[in-house]
Amino acid sequence: LGLSLKQIYSSLDRQKIPRKSLAEQNKILFERKKPSFDFKETLNTKDRELLIAAVMLYYGEGAKTGVTVDLANSDVLISKLFLKFLRIICRVKEEKLRFYLYCFEDQNQNKLIEYWSFQLNAGKERFTKPYVRPTVNRGNRSMPYGVMHIRYGDKKLLEKILYLCKDLACSL
């Protein structure tokens, strides 16, 4: 048409045609964005059991707000199970997985990261700087290996997991 953007916007304003708000535009862009995971739709019996176990774990222990899937636990078997779910059922991108250690100052951070790295089959470069809490007022907390947060930054995956949590809880 040979018109400038200013001319087009002025014309829309004169005709009282509303523009999309920033929030509306962001919502549209989010919905169009391709997820960074490939959720496995056809599940065999073992996969279904893994899904149910991991989703119920997340329902009890996972973060429900924000944009990141985040499960924290000090039990290595629980962490392995949830990570297996992310890798096998959600088919997440390995390079987006992050691990965050929570420990006390009297514990050796490097040894703990080595331990978790080996147990979770994850490279040390995937670990973010640990949170080190002062040993004062430790109470009766016994966490010989600290607490491991398994994190995956994808809001669409978080929404999918939270939907599965509610769906499974309501169907039982």
Side-chain angles (χ1 to χ4, degrees):
L1 297 173
L3 301 172
S4 70
L5 281 178
K6 184 177 180 180
Q7 290 173 312
I8 293 170
Y9 286 137
S10 296
S11 176
L12 291 173
D13 287 341
R14 280 192 306 275
Q15 297 174 52
K16 302 206 184 316
I17 298 172
R19 293 171 54 189
K20 289 180 189 145
S21 70
L22 188 58
E24 289 172 313
Q25 186 60 32
N26 284 339
K27 185 178 179 187
I28 291 167
L29 289 173
F30 175 74
E31 288 169 357
R32 288 182 184 167
K33 188 178 178 186
K34 189 175 183 229
S36 66
F37 61 96
D38 179 23
F39 200 84
K40 190 174 182 181
E41 298 297 334
T42 308
L43 304 175
N44 60 32
T45 306
K46 283 275 194 203
D47 289 344
R48 179 96 176 124
E49 288 174 359
L50 176 60
L51 177 126
I52 291 169
V55 166
M56 289 294 101
L57 271 174
Y58 198 83
Y59 199 42
E61 299 283 331
K64 315 291 187 297
T65 58
V67 296
T68 302
V69 174
D70 183 356
L71 181 98
N73 206 285
S74 61
D75 187 328
V76 72
L77 294 177
I78 287 174
S79 297
K80 281 182 174 183
L81 187 136
F82 189 71
L83 192 55
K84 187 175 184 180
F85 162 74
L86 289 176
R87 288 174 169 157
I88 293 173
I89 306 297
C90 300
R91 297 188 280 211
V92 297
K93 292 181 178 177
E94 196 71 27
E95 64 272 9
K96 283 192 71 174
L97 278 169
R98 293 290 178 265
F99 303 94
Y100 178 63
L101 176 67
Y102 174 105
C103 63
F104 289 100
E105 67 184 353
D106 65 344
Q107 295 174 302
N108 186 327
Q109 300 168 38
N110 293 328
K111 294 266 187 209
L112 291 177
I113 289 174
E114 275 182 38
Y115 170 80
W116 283 104
S117 175
F118 175 75
Q119 292 295 325
L120 301 177
N121 193 23
K124 292 178 190 171
E125 70 279 359
R126 301 268 175 257
F127 285 76
T128 58
K129 184 179 178 183
Y131 173 78
V132 181
R133 186 172 177 183
T135 307
V136 181
N137 295 331
R138 188 172 183 167
N140 61 356
R141 293 176 120 182
S142 175
M143 298 182 301
Y145 302 108
V147 174
M148 179 53 56
H149 286 255
I150 298 172
R151 294 179 168 171
Y152 190 78
D154 190 315
K155 186 175 180 179
K156 287 187 179 195
L157 182 57
L158 177 63
E159 288 175 351
K160 175 85 173 172
I161 292 171
L162 293 177
Y163 168 79
L164 290 169
C165 288
K166 288 181 183 163
D167 188 47
L168 277 172
C170 292
S171 69
L172 297 176

